[in-house]
Amino acid sequence: MANNAATLKMETGFSKNAVETLSQIKREPEWIRARRLEAWHLYEETPMPASNDELWRRTSLKDLKFDGVIPFTPNENANPVNALPAKFQQIANDANAGGVLVQYNSAGAHARLADDLKKRGVIFCSLDTAIREYPELVKQYFMTQAVTYSENRYASAKPSTSKASGKHEGGGYGDTIGDLKFAALHGAFFSGGTFLYVPRNVVIDLPLQALTYFDAPNAAMFTHTLVVVEEGAAVTLIENYASQNNDARRFSNGAVELILKPNASLQYFHLQDFARDVWHFSTQTALLDKDASLTWLNGTLGSQSTKAFLDCKFLGAGGNAKLLGFFFGDGKQHFDQHTFQNHLVGHTESDLLYKGALKDEAYSAFRGLIRVSPDAQRSDAYQANRNILLSPKAHADSIPELEIEANDVRCTHGATVGPIDAEQIFYLQARGIPKTEAEQVIVAGFFDPLMQKIPLESIRDELTEVIQNKIGH
C-alpha cells in the first residue's frame, strides 16, 4: 500500500474509495485505516439531520453541497509560515509561547517546543506525527473516550468505574443523533490537527499555541485536536483557526477531545475566524476526572455558517469547569451552538457564560443544557447567555434547559437578548463620541472580561481588531 502512495491523488467528494486513498497517501497503519472505514460505514448508515430535528431545525442544510470538495489538500509550500498573512506570522513567531504548531491547508507545516518541555516528556505535535511516532498513546485515546463514532454515543453517559482505564460508557447530547452524521464523516477523513500530551505532575507555565490556516480552493478541512493532561499536570493551549477568502465554497469539520486526569488543570481556547465561504461544523468534548479543573473558551467570529456541539462531562467528584464563549456575527452569518454541562457524578461545579453580538442580518442560536444524573448529588451548575443586537434585522434565539434527576443540587440559568441601552449611546454621544465609536466602546467593554482570559497579547490584539472592524464596516 505504501509503495505507490506518493503517486496517488485525492478525488473530489466523499466516498469509501476517497477514505482508502487518503489513508494510503498518509502511509497510515492498518488500525487507523480500520477506524476510518468504520466511521465511513456509520456515516453512510446515518441519515442527514432532518429539518424538523429539534437540534437542527434552526440550521438549514439545503445549500450544503459536497460536489467538487477535495477531502485532503497537502501543504506544498516550502516556507509555510512565510506564506501566512503578516498577523498570523506574528502569532506563529510569538516568543511568549512555550511551543507553536502551524497547520497549512490539510497538513502540519511547522512545530516548535521548548527544549525543557521536551526533556520533561511533553509531546506537542501534529496528530499525523503522533500517529507515526507515538502510536500506542494515540491508539489509547483517539476517538475512543471523548469524541467517538459509535451508534450508542448519545445514550446517557455513565462515569467510569475503572480508575485505571479512565474510560466511560456512551456520552453525547441528550438522546438524539445530534452531531453523529458529521462526527462520523470527520472520523473518516480527519487530517492534521494537534496532539498534546502532558505527563504526570508537569506544570507548563508558558501557553502553547496552535494555528490552522488554509487558502486552498474547494478544500475540506478535518482538523482533530487530542489533549491528554495526566494527573497533577497543568497546561494552557490556544488554538486559532483562519482562512483566506475564496470564491469557492469550502467545508470545515473539526473535532476536539480534552481528557483531564485526576487533579489536572487545563485552560483551552478555541478561536475561529474562517472566511465567509466556509461551512464549519465542530464537535468538542471534555472529560473531567476527580478534582480536575478546566477553563474552556470558544470564540466564533468567522464562517458563513457554524454548527457546534460542546459537551463537558464530569466523571469524578471535585471537578470544576468554567465554560466561556463569545461570538460576533455580521452580514448574513449564521451561528448555531449547543453546550452540554453533563454532571454524571456529584460534588462537581460548572459555570457557563456565552456572550454574543449581532448586526446586519446575522443570526445566532444558543441552546444550553444542564443535566444532573440521579447519583450526582451536590452538583452546582450555572448557565448564562447574553446577546446584544446592533441592528433591527439581527436575531438571536437563546434556549436554556435543565434536566435535573437529583434532589440536592443548585442549578440556575438565565438569558438576555436586546439592543444596546439607548442611554449608554446617548451618554457617550453627548461627550462628542460618534455613534459608531460609541458602539465600539460598549461592545468592547461587553466582551473585554472574556478577552482578558486569553493569555497571549498577540491573540487578544488580533481578536479585538476583528471585532472593531465588524462594528465599523
Side-chain angles (χ1 to χ4, degrees):
M1 178 173 69
N3 292 335
N4 64 346
T7 64
L8 293 171
K9 291 186 178 181
M10 290 299 304
E11 61 187 66
T12 60
F14 303 123
S15 66
K16 181 180 178 181
N17 184 61
V19 174
E20 294 177 326
T21 300
L22 175 60
S23 190
Q24 286 180 278
I25 290 173
K26 289 177 169 291
R27 303 176 185 268
E28 292 176 334
E30 180 59 30
W31 67 271
I32 285 289
R33 177 179 176 274
R35 288 194 184 181
R36 288 188 185 277
L37 291 175
E38 177 191 357
W40 175 253
H41 172 73
L42 182 58
Y43 172 77
E44 287 191 305
E45 294 294 317
T46 303
M48 193 67 77
S51 59
N52 61 353
D53 184 327
E54 179 58 30
L55 297 186
W56 284 91
R57 67 185 184 88
R58 294 171 181 84
T59 295
S60 173
L61 299 176
K62 64 182 180 63
D63 293 328
L64 178 62
K65 307 296 182 183
F66 294 145
D67 298 341
V69 171
I70 304 172
F72 173 77
T73 305
N75 167 36
E76 298 177 350
N77 196 303
N79 298 297
V81 173
N82 294 335
L84 299 174
K87 64 179 180 179
F88 294 122
Q89 290 187 40
Q90 179 184 358
I91 293 172
N93 295 316
D94 195 335
N96 294 316
V100 174
L101 287 180
V102 175
Q103 176 173 329
Y104 190 80
N105 291 323
S106 295
H110 172 75
R112 171 175 63 84
L113 181 64
D115 289 339
D116 66 312
L117 297 180
K118 293 179 182 178
K119 293 176 181 178
R120 297 165 70 189
V122 176
I123 303 171
F124 186 48
C125 60
S126 71
L127 183 60
D128 292 336
T129 299
I131 290 171
R132 291 194 305 270
E133 299 183 5
Y134 311 98
E136 294 305 316
L137 196 56
V138 176
K139 185 182 295 187
Q140 181 180 354
Y141 295 107
F142 175 65
M143 294 193 83
T144 61
Q145 300 182 35
V147 175
T148 66
Y149 41 76
S150 59
E151 288 89 336
N152 68 344
R153 73 183 293 256
Y154 293 92
S156 297
K158 298 181 183 299
S160 170
T161 57
S162 170
K163 295 182 180 179
S165 69
K167 294 182 179 180
H168 70 286
E169 301 172 0
Y173 200 102
D175 297 316
T176 77
I177 64 170
D179 59 337
L180 180 56
K181 180 72 170 178
F182 293 99
L185 184 63
H186 172 91
F189 288 99
F190 69 87
S191 183
T194 300
F195 179 76
L196 171 60
Y197 177 81
V198 186
R200 182 175 180 177
N201 294 329
V202 172
V203 176
I204 301 176
D205 295 323
L206 292 177
L208 305 180
Q209 160 83 344
L211 170 63
T212 296
Y213 183 83
F214 71 103
D215 55 12
N218 303 312
M221 299 292 291
F222 292 91
T223 57
H224 191 103
T225 296
L226 174 57
V227 177
V228 181
V229 187
E230 292 285 7
E231 183 174 357
V235 66
T236 296
L237 174 63
I238 303 170
E239 292 202 299
N240 203 320
Y241 297 83
S243 66
Q244 183 183 32
N245 285 311
N246 195 289
D247 291 335
R249 179 165 294 177
R250 293 174 293 177
F251 176 68
S252 168
N253 184 358
V256 175
E257 302 183 270
L258 309 176
I259 300 174
L260 284 69
K261 299 298 183 68
N263 201 36
S265 176
L266 171 65
Q267 294 187 76
Y268 176 69
F269 302 86
H270 184 100
L271 310 173
Q272 182 266 110
D273 188 20
F274 284 135
R276 300 301 174 86
D277 58 311
V278 177
W279 283 73
H280 178 56
F281 297 82
S282 183
T283 298
Q284 303 181 37
T285 301
L287 306 181
L288 279 68
D289 213 321
K290 185 176 185 296
D291 295 324
S293 176
L294 172 66
T295 297
W296 184 4
L297 183 146
N298 267 264
T300 303
L301 297 172
S303 79
Q304 170 189 322
S305 296
T306 288
K307 180 74 170 180
F309 290 83
L310 302 98
D311 188 354
C312 183
K313 297 185 176 73
F314 293 92
L315 307 181
N320 177 283
K322 292 180 173 61
L323 311 177
L324 308 171
F326 66 87
F327 52 91
F328 194 139
D330 60 0
K332 294 186 177 182
Q333 284 186 291
H334 180 105
F335 302 148
D336 190 351
Q337 302 176 88
H338 301 258
T339 62
F340 189 11
Q341 295 157 260
N342 195 350
H343 290 258
L344 302 170
V345 298
H347 298 272
T348 50
E349 297 182 10
S350 65
D351 188 351
L352 181 146
L353 174 61
Y354 268 57
K355 289 185 173 184
L358 302 169
K359 65 176 295 187
D360 304 326
E361 299 179 44
Y363 173 78
S364 167
F366 171 84
R367 179 168 179 162
L369 172 63
I370 297 174
R371 172 183 283 172
V372 179
S373 297
D375 296 330
Q377 303 290 357
R378 306 306 296 270
S379 293
D380 188 343
Y382 178 74
Q383 177 191 118
N385 174 224
R386 312 296 184 199
N387 300 274
I388 291 179
L389 304 181
L390 301 175
S391 66
K393 291 187 178 181
H395 184 83
D397 288 325
S398 187
I399 309 163
E401 297 179 297
L402 298 176
E403 291 185 12
I404 311 300
E405 299 181 273
N407 57 18
D408 187 8
V409 301
R410 182 171 63 179
C411 297
T412 56
H413 59 66
T416 59
V417 178
I420 293 177
D421 188 335
E423 290 188 3
Q424 293 180 344
I425 296 289
F426 176 78
Y427 177 86
L428 294 175
Q429 286 185 295
R431 281 149 182 81
I433 299 176
K435 182 178 180 181
T436 297
E437 291 184 20
E439 288 183 345
Q440 286 180 335
V441 169
I442 292 170
V443 174
F446 178 67
F447 285 130
D448 188 66
L450 296 176
M451 292 293 180
Q452 294 306 316
K453 301 286 185 181
I454 300 172
L456 285 178
E457 184 178 3
S458 59
I459 299 292
R460 293 198 302 270
D461 291 345
E462 180 224 339
L463 295 174
T464 299
E465 180 182 355
V466 173
I467 290 173
Q468 289 177 344
N469 289 338
K470 278 177 173 278
I471 297 173
H473 78 244

mmCIF file of all heavy atoms in Angstrom, residues 217-258:
data_model
loop_
_atom_site.group_PDB
_atom_site.id
_atom_site.type_symbol
_atom_site.label_atom_id
_atom_site.label_comp_id
_atom_site.label_asym_id
_atom_site.label_seq_id
_atom_site.Cartn_x
_atom_site.Cartn_y
_atom_site.Cartn_z
ATOM 1 N N PRO A 217 -8.506 26.447 -2.667
ATOM 2 C CA PRO A 217 -9.901 26.477 -3.092
ATOM 3 C C PRO A 217 -10.525 25.093 -3.005
ATOM 4 O O PRO A 217 -9.829 24.074 -3.092
ATOM 5 C CB PRO A 217 -9.818 26.955 -4.543
ATOM 6 C CG PRO A 217 -8.471 26.495 -4.999
ATOM 7 C CD PRO A 217 -7.564 26.607 -3.796
ATOM 8 N N ASN A 218 -11.825 25.051 -2.791
ATOM 9 C CA ASN A 218 -12.589 23.792 -2.769
ATOM 10 C C ASN A 218 -12.077 22.810 -1.717
ATOM 11 O O ASN A 218 -12.260 21.594 -1.841
ATOM 12 C CB ASN A 218 -12.560 23.111 -4.141
ATOM 13 C CG ASN A 218 -13.081 24.010 -5.242
ATOM 14 O OD1 ASN A 218 -14.134 24.627 -5.101
ATOM 15 N ND2 ASN A 218 -12.330 24.128 -6.325
ATOM 16 N N ALA A 219 -11.455 23.323 -0.662
ATOM 17 C CA ALA A 219 -10.855 22.443 0.338
ATOM 18 C C ALA A 219 -11.857 22.071 1.420
ATOM 19 O O ALA A 219 -12.706 22.877 1.816
ATOM 20 C CB ALA A 219 -9.644 23.114 0.971
ATOM 21 N N ALA A 220 -11.731 20.832 1.890
ATOM 22 C CA ALA A 220 -12.442 20.391 3.086
ATOM 23 C C ALA A 220 -11.398 20.153 4.172
ATOM 24 O O ALA A 220 -10.412 19.454 3.942
ATOM 25 C CB ALA A 220 -13.224 19.109 2.814
ATOM 26 N N MET A 221 -11.601 20.741 5.331
ATOM 27 C CA MET A 221 -10.648 20.634 6.431
ATOM 28 C C MET A 221 -11.240 19.763 7.531
ATOM 29 O O MET A 221 -12.388 19.955 7.938
ATOM 30 C CB MET A 221 -10.321 22.016 6.982
ATOM 31 C CG MET A 221 -9.686 22.956 5.971
ATOM 32 S SD MET A 221 -8.029 22.453 5.496
ATOM 33 C CE MET A 221 -7.170 22.784 7.025
ATOM 34 N N PHE A 222 -10.429 18.815 8.028
ATOM 35 C CA PHE A 222 -10.879 17.902 9.084
ATOM 36 C C PHE A 222 -9.846 17.881 10.206
ATOM 37 O O PHE A 222 -9.232 16.861 10.487
ATOM 38 C CB PHE A 222 -11.077 16.495 8.512
ATOM 39 C CG PHE A 222 -12.214 16.372 7.550
ATOM 40 C CD1 PHE A 222 -12.017 16.554 6.190
ATOM 41 C CD2 PHE A 222 -13.497 16.087 7.995
ATOM 42 C CE1 PHE A 222 -13.060 16.440 5.290
ATOM 43 C CE2 PHE A 222 -14.557 15.972 7.109
ATOM 44 C CZ PHE A 222 -14.342 16.147 5.748
ATOM 45 N N THR A 223 -9.641 19.019 10.841
ATOM 46 C CA THR A 223 -8.649 19.091 11.912
ATOM 47 C C THR A 223 -9.151 18.360 13.155
ATOM 48 O O THR A 223 -10.338 18.381 13.472
ATOM 49 C CB THR A 223 -8.353 20.548 12.281
ATOM 50 O OG1 THR A 223 -9.568 21.200 12.658
ATOM 51 C CG2 THR A 223 -7.728 21.280 11.112
ATOM 52 N N HIS A 224 -8.215 17.726 13.849
ATOM 53 C CA HIS A 224 -8.568 16.987 15.065
ATOM 54 C C HIS A 224 -7.584 17.345 16.165
ATOM 55 O O HIS A 224 -6.372 17.266 15.989
ATOM 56 C CB HIS A 224 -8.520 15.482 14.813
ATOM 57 C CG HIS A 224 -9.111 14.675 15.931
ATOM 58 N ND1 HIS A 224 -10.360 14.098 15.858
ATOM 59 C CD2 HIS A 224 -8.645 14.364 17.179
ATOM 60 C CE1 HIS A 224 -10.625 13.473 16.989
ATOM 61 N NE2 HIS A 224 -9.596 13.629 17.811
ATOM 62 N N THR A 225 -8.116 17.751 17.315
ATOM 63 C CA THR A 225 -7.296 18.086 18.467
ATOM 64 C C THR A 225 -7.500 17.039 19.550
ATOM 65 O O THR A 225 -8.636 16.755 19.941
ATOM 66 C CB THR A 225 -7.669 19.469 19.022
ATOM 67 O OG1 THR A 225 -7.374 20.464 18.045
ATOM 68 C CG2 THR A 225 -6.902 19.780 20.296
ATOM 69 N N LEU A 226 -6.399 16.469 20.037
ATOM 70 C CA LEU A 226 -6.436 15.494 21.120
ATOM 71 C C LEU A 226 -5.483 15.973 22.210
ATOM 72 O O LEU A 226 -4.281 16.069 21.994
ATOM 73 C CB LEU A 226 -6.039 14.107 20.621
ATOM 74 C CG LEU A 226 -5.890 12.994 21.675
ATOM 75 C CD1 LEU A 226 -7.185 12.821 22.475
ATOM 76 C CD2 LEU A 226 -5.496 11.676 21.006
ATOM 77 N N VAL A 227 -6.036 16.283 23.377
ATOM 78 C CA VAL A 227 -5.255 16.775 24.512
ATOM 79 C C VAL A 227 -5.435 15.813 25.675
ATOM 80 O O VAL A 227 -6.570 15.536 26.089
ATOM 81 C CB VAL A 227 -5.699 18.189 24.933
ATOM 82 C CG1 VAL A 227 -4.913 18.660 26.161
ATOM 83 C CG2 VAL A 227 -5.530 19.176 23.783
ATOM 84 N N VAL A 228 -4.332 15.316 26.210
ATOM 85 C CA VAL A 228 -4.354 14.439 27.381
ATOM 86 C C VAL A 228 -3.483 15.085 28.446
ATOM 87 O O VAL A 228 -2.278 15.260 28.255
ATOM 88 C CB VAL A 228 -3.840 13.026 27.055
ATOM 89 C CG1 VAL A 228 -3.895 12.143 28.307
ATOM 90 C CG2 VAL A 228 -4.655 12.402 25.924
ATOM 91 N N VAL A 229 -4.096 15.437 29.573
ATOM 92 C CA VAL A 229 -3.372 16.056 30.691
ATOM 93 C C VAL A 229 -3.398 15.058 31.844
ATOM 94 O O VAL A 229 -4.458 14.784 32.423
ATOM 95 C CB VAL A 229 -4.021 17.398 31.107
ATOM 96 C CG1 VAL A 229 -3.143 18.103 32.140
ATOM 97 C CG2 VAL A 229 -4.225 18.295 29.894
ATOM 98 N N GLU A 230 -2.240 14.515 32.151
ATOM 99 C CA GLU A 230 -2.164 13.476 33.177
ATOM 100 C C GLU A 230 -2.350 14.053 34.582
ATOM 101 O O GLU A 230 -2.399 15.266 34.782
ATOM 102 C CB GLU A 230 -0.821 12.749 33.075
ATOM 103 C CG GLU A 230 -0.654 11.905 31.818
ATOM 104 C CD GLU A 230 -1.443 10.595 31.858
ATOM 105 O OE1 GLU A 230 -2.230 10.394 32.815
ATOM 106 O OE2 GLU A 230 -1.273 9.780 30.935
ATOM 107 N N GLU A 231 -2.411 13.172 35.557
ATOM 108 C CA GLU A 231 -2.703 13.545 36.944
ATOM 109 C C GLU A 231 -1.722 14.595 37.456
ATOM 110 O O GLU A 231 -0.500 14.471 37.320
ATOM 111 C CB GLU A 231 -2.634 12.307 37.833
ATOM 112 C CG GLU A 231 -2.988 12.563 39.291
ATOM 113 C CD GLU A 231 -3.052 11.292 40.117
ATOM 114 O OE1 GLU A 231 -2.883 10.190 39.535
ATOM 115 O OE2 GLU A 231 -3.271 11.397 41.342
ATOM 116 N N GLY A 232 -2.288 15.675 38.018
ATOM 117 C CA GLY A 232 -1.484 16.724 38.620
ATOM 118 C C GLY A 232 -0.795 17.657 37.646
ATOM 119 O O GLY A 232 -0.080 18.573 38.062
ATOM 120 N N ALA A 233 -0.985 17.472 36.344
ATOM 121 C CA ALA A 233 -0.334 18.314 35.336
ATOM 122 C C ALA A 233 -1.196 19.548 35.051
ATOM 123 O O ALA A 233 -2.400 19.586 35.353
ATOM 124 C CB ALA A 233 -0.088 17.531 34.062
ATOM 125 N N ALA A 234 -0.562 20.558 34.436
ATOM 126 C CA ALA A 234 -1.282 21.795 34.110
ATOM 127 C C ALA A 234 -0.709 22.398 32.836
ATOM 128 O O ALA A 234 0.503 22.408 32.625
ATOM 129 C CB ALA A 234 -1.171 22.806 35.256
ATOM 130 N N VAL A 235 -1.608 22.935 31.968
ATOM 131 C CA VAL A 235 -1.173 23.484 30.689
ATOM 132 C C VAL A 235 -2.232 24.435 30.149
ATOM 133 O O VAL A 235 -3.424 24.324 30.491
ATOM 134 C CB VAL A 235 -0.913 22.346 29.670
ATOM 135 C CG1 VAL A 235 -2.204 21.617 29.327
ATOM 136 C CG2 VAL A 235 -0.234 22.867 28.408
ATOM 137 N N THR A 236 -1.795 25.370 29.308
ATOM 138 C CA THR A 236 -2.686 26.268 28.569
ATOM 139 C C THR A 236 -2.434 26.077 27.077
ATOM 140 O O THR A 236 -1.294 26.119 26.629
ATOM 141 C CB THR A 236 -2.420 27.737 28.947
ATOM 142 O OG1 THR A 236 -2.724 27.939 30.328
ATOM 143 C CG2 THR A 236 -3.278 28.676 28.102
ATOM 144 N N LEU A 237 -3.517 25.851 26.327
ATOM 145 C CA LEU A 237 -3.420 25.674 24.877
ATOM 146 C C LEU A 237 -4.372 26.637 24.183
ATOM 147 O O LEU A 237 -5.564 26.685 24.506
ATOM 148 C CB LEU A 237 -3.760 24.235 24.481
ATOM 149 C CG LEU A 237 -3.842 23.948 22.980
ATOM 150 C CD1 LEU A 237 -2.490 24.165 22.304
ATOM 151 C CD2 LEU A 237 -4.341 22.525 22.719
ATOM 152 N N ILE A 238 -3.826 27.393 23.213
ATOM 153 C CA ILE A 238 -4.632 28.313 22.403
ATOM 154 C C ILE A 238 -4.612 27.814 20.969
ATOM 155 O O ILE A 238 -3.543 27.644 20.372
ATOM 156 C CB ILE A 238 -4.070 29.742 22.456
ATOM 157 C CG1 ILE A 238 -3.992 30.231 23.898
ATOM 158 C CG2 ILE A 238 -4.929 30.684 21.628
ATOM 159 C CD1 ILE A 238 -3.230 31.538 24.047
ATOM 160 N N GLU A 239 -5.793 27.580 20.398
ATOM 161 C CA GLU A 239 -5.891 27.158 19.000
ATOM 162 C C GLU A 239 -6.618 28.234 18.205
ATOM 163 O O GLU A 239 -7.708 28.671 18.575
ATOM 164 C CB GLU A 239 -6.620 25.823 18.886
ATOM 165 C CG GLU A 239 -5.831 24.668 19.470
ATOM 166 C CD GLU A 239 -6.272 23.329 18.911
ATOM 167 O OE1 GLU A 239 -7.454 22.983 19.100
ATOM 168 O OE2 GLU A 239 -5.447 22.637 18.298
ATOM 169 N N ASN A 240 -6.016 28.623 17.095
ATOM 170 C CA ASN A 240 -6.527 29.707 16.271
ATOM 171 C C ASN A 240 -6.777 29.171 14.865
ATOM 172 O O ASN A 240 -5.864 28.619 14.237
ATOM 173 C CB ASN A 240 -5.495 30.843 16.230
ATOM 174 C CG ASN A 240 -6.111 32.182 15.900
ATOM 175 O OD1 ASN A 240 -6.981 32.257 15.048
ATOM 176 N ND2 ASN A 240 -5.649 33.237 16.566
ATOM 177 N N TYR A 241 -8.001 29.328 14.357
ATOM 178 C CA TYR A 241 -8.381 28.803 13.042
ATOM 179 C C TYR A 241 -8.775 29.959 12.135
ATOM 180 O O TYR A 241 -9.603 30.793 12.501
ATOM 181 C CB TYR A 241 -9.570 27.844 13.169
ATOM 182 C CG TYR A 241 -9.287 26.615 13.992
ATOM 183 C CD1 TYR A 241 -9.364 26.641 15.385
ATOM 184 C CD2 TYR A 241 -8.952 25.408 13.382
ATOM 185 C CE1 TYR A 241 -9.098 25.518 16.142
ATOM 186 C CE2 TYR A 241 -8.692 24.268 14.134
ATOM 187 C CZ TYR A 241 -8.768 24.339 15.506
ATOM 188 O OH TYR A 241 -8.497 23.215 16.261
ATOM 189 N N ALA A 242 -8.189 29.997 10.928
ATOM 190 C CA ALA A 242 -8.490 31.087 9.999
ATOM 191 C C ALA A 242 -8.291 30.602 8.570
ATOM 192 O O ALA A 242 -7.701 29.550 8.323
ATOM 193 C CB ALA A 242 -7.599 32.300 10.277
ATOM 194 N N SER A 243 -8.783 31.370 7.613
ATOM 195 C CA SER A 243 -8.631 31.013 6.203
ATOM 196 C C SER A 243 -8.679 32.264 5.352
ATOM 197 O O SER A 243 -9.175 33.312 5.773
ATOM 198 C CB SER A 243 -9.724 30.038 5.757
ATOM 199 O OG SER A 243 -11.001 30.659 5.802
ATOM 200 N N GLN A 244 -8.157 32.132 4.135
ATOM 201 C CA GLN A 244 -8.201 33.222 3.166
ATOM 202 C C GLN A 244 -9.534 33.211 2.438
ATOM 203 O O GLN A 244 -10.116 32.152 2.187
ATOM 204 C CB GLN A 244 -7.059 33.060 2.159
ATOM 205 C CG GLN A 244 -6.954 34.177 1.137
ATOM 206 C CD GLN A 244 -5.845 33.920 0.136
ATOM 207 O OE1 GLN A 244 -5.543 32.780 -0.196
ATOM 208 N NE2 GLN A 244 -5.219 34.978 -0.335
ATOM 209 N N ASN A 245 -10.022 34.397 2.083
ATOM 210 C CA ASN A 245 -11.252 34.471 1.308
ATOM 211 C C ASN A 245 -11.072 33.786 -0.042
ATOM 212 O O ASN A 245 -9.997 33.827 -0.643
ATOM 213 C CB ASN A 245 -11.655 35.929 1.074
ATOM 214 C CG ASN A 245 -12.233 36.560 2.326
ATOM 215 O OD1 ASN A 245 -13.105 35.991 2.972
ATOM 216 N ND2 ASN A 245 -11.727 37.729 2.678
ATOM 217 N N ASN A 246 -12.137 33.154 -0.526
ATOM 218 C CA ASN A 246 -12.083 32.432 -1.782
ATOM 219 C C ASN A 246 -13.489 32.381 -2.348
ATOM 220 O O ASN A 246 -14.467 32.297 -1.605
ATOM 221 C CB ASN A 246 -11.548 31.014 -1.545
ATOM 222 C CG ASN A 246 -11.120 30.341 -2.831
ATOM 223 O OD1 ASN A 246 -11.957 29.978 -3.642
ATOM 224 N ND2 ASN A 246 -9.818 30.179 -3.008
ATOM 225 N N ASP A 247 -13.610 32.411 -3.659
ATOM 226 C CA ASP A 247 -14.940 32.382 -4.277
ATOM 227 C C ASP A 247 -15.594 31.013 -4.167
ATOM 228 O O ASP A 247 -16.822 30.900 -4.161
ATOM 229 C CB ASP A 247 -14.839 32.782 -5.753
ATOM 230 C CG ASP A 247 -14.475 34.246 -5.930
ATOM 231 O OD1 ASP A 247 -14.757 35.029 -4.995
ATOM 232 O OD2 ASP A 247 -13.911 34.593 -6.968
ATOM 233 N N ALA A 248 -14.777 29.959 -4.082
ATOM 234 C CA ALA A 248 -15.330 28.598 -3.999
ATOM 235 C C ALA A 248 -15.802 28.314 -2.576
ATOM 236 O O ALA A 248 -15.175 28.720 -1.603
ATOM 237 C CB ALA A 248 -14.276 27.579 -4.415
ATOM 238 N N ARG A 249 -16.911 27.613 -2.475
ATOM 239 C CA ARG A 249 -17.417 27.244 -1.145
ATOM 240 C C ARG A 249 -16.567 26.142 -0.548
ATOM 241 O O ARG A 249 -16.196 25.185 -1.228
ATOM 242 C CB ARG A 249 -18.873 26.785 -1.247
ATOM 243 C CG ARG A 249 -19.472 26.362 0.087
ATOM 244 C CD ARG A 249 -20.970 26.282 -0.005
ATOM 245 N NE ARG A 249 -21.548 27.605 -0.236
ATOM 246 C CZ ARG A 249 -22.850 27.829 -0.413
ATOM 247 N NH1 ARG A 249 -23.700 26.821 -0.417
ATOM 248 N NH2 ARG A 249 -23.295 29.048 -0.606
ATOM 249 N N ARG A 250 -16.240 26.284 0.739
ATOM 250 C CA ARG A 250 -15.387 25.310 1.396
ATOM 251 C C ARG A 250 -16.052 24.795 2.671
ATOM 252 O O ARG A 250 -17.051 25.335 3.137
ATOM 253 C CB ARG A 250 -14.021 25.932 1.690
ATOM 254 C CG ARG A 250 -13.231 26.232 0.421
ATOM 255 C CD ARG A 250 -11.957 26.974 0.693
ATOM 256 N NE ARG A 250 -12.202 28.315 1.186
ATOM 257 C CZ ARG A 250 -11.241 29.159 1.561
ATOM 258 N NH1 ARG A 250 -9.984 28.786 1.490
ATOM 259 N NH2 ARG A 250 -11.531 30.368 1.990
ATOM 260 N N PHE A 251 -15.444 23.766 3.236
ATOM 261 C CA PHE A 251 -16.094 22.994 4.293
ATOM 262 C C PHE A 251 -15.079 22.667 5.375
ATOM 263 O O PHE A 251 -13.961 22.244 5.089
ATOM 264 C CB PHE A 251 -16.663 21.713 3.665
ATOM 265 C CG PHE A 251 -17.286 20.748 4.640
ATOM 266 C CD1 PHE A 251 -18.458 21.066 5.294
ATOM 267 C CD2 PHE A 251 -16.701 19.506 4.876
ATOM 268 C CE1 PHE A 251 -19.036 20.171 6.180
ATOM 269 C CE2 PHE A 251 -17.279 18.604 5.749
ATOM 270 C CZ PHE A 251 -18.456 18.927 6.400
ATOM 271 N N SER A 252 -15.455 22.881 6.628
ATOM 272 C CA SER A 252 -14.606 22.518 7.764
ATOM 273 C C SER A 252 -15.421 21.657 8.724
ATOM 274 O O SER A 252 -16.559 21.999 9.058
ATOM 275 C CB SER A 252 -14.116 23.783 8.489
ATOM 276 O OG SER A 252 -13.531 23.453 9.734
ATOM 277 N N ASN A 253 -14.804 20.556 9.143
ATOM 278 C CA ASN A 253 -15.492 19.634 10.057
ATOM 279 C C ASN A 253 -14.461 19.164 11.081
ATOM 280 O O ASN A 253 -13.729 18.213 10.850
ATOM 281 C CB ASN A 253 -16.068 18.453 9.264
ATOM 282 C CG ASN A 253 -16.870 17.504 10.138
ATOM 283 O OD1 ASN A 253 -16.989 17.681 11.342
ATOM 284 N ND2 ASN A 253 -17.408 16.475 9.516
ATOM 285 N N GLY A 254 -14.385 19.858 12.197
ATOM 286 C CA GLY A 254 -13.339 19.594 13.179
ATOM 287 C C GLY A 254 -13.860 18.877 14.406
ATOM 288 O O GLY A 254 -15.064 18.811 14.672
ATOM 289 N N ALA A 255 -12.915 18.343 15.188
ATOM 290 C CA ALA A 255 -13.238 17.682 16.441
ATOM 291 C C ALA A 255 -12.164 18.004 17.472
ATOM 292 O O ALA A 255 -10.991 18.179 17.135
ATOM 293 C CB ALA A 255 -13.344 16.171 16.251
ATOM 294 N N VAL A 256 -12.590 18.079 18.726
ATOM 295 C CA VAL A 256 -11.688 18.367 19.840
ATOM 296 C C VAL A 256 -11.974 17.386 20.965
ATOM 297 O O VAL A 256 -13.137 17.199 21.348
ATOM 298 C CB VAL A 256 -11.867 19.816 20.350
ATOM 299 C CG1 VAL A 256 -11.017 20.060 21.594
ATOM 300 C CG2 VAL A 256 -11.529 20.819 19.261
ATOM 301 N N GLU A 257 -10.909 16.776 21.491
ATOM 302 C CA GLU A 257 -11.016 15.879 22.642
ATOM 303 C C GLU A 257 -10.093 16.396 23.743
ATOM 304 O O GLU A 257 -8.889 16.500 23.543
ATOM 305 C CB GLU A 257 -10.609 14.457 22.270
ATOM 306 C CG GLU A 257 -11.419 13.856 21.129
ATOM 307 C CD GLU A 257 -11.013 12.411 20.849
ATOM 308 O OE1 GLU A 257 -10.106 12.208 20.026
ATOM 309 O OE2 GLU A 257 -11.604 11.502 21.456
ATOM 310 N N LEU A 258 -10.674 16.704 24.886
ATOM 311 C CA LEU A 258 -9.921 17.187 26.041
ATOM 312 C C LEU A 258 -10.090 16.171 27.171
ATOM 313 O O LEU A 258 -11.210 15.966 27.656
ATOM 314 C CB LEU A 258 -10.439 18.561 26.491
ATOM 315 C CG LEU A 258 -10.557 19.637 25.400
ATOM 316 C CD1 LEU A 258 -11.179 20.902 25.982
ATOM 317 C CD2 LEU A 258 -9.200 19.938 24.772
#
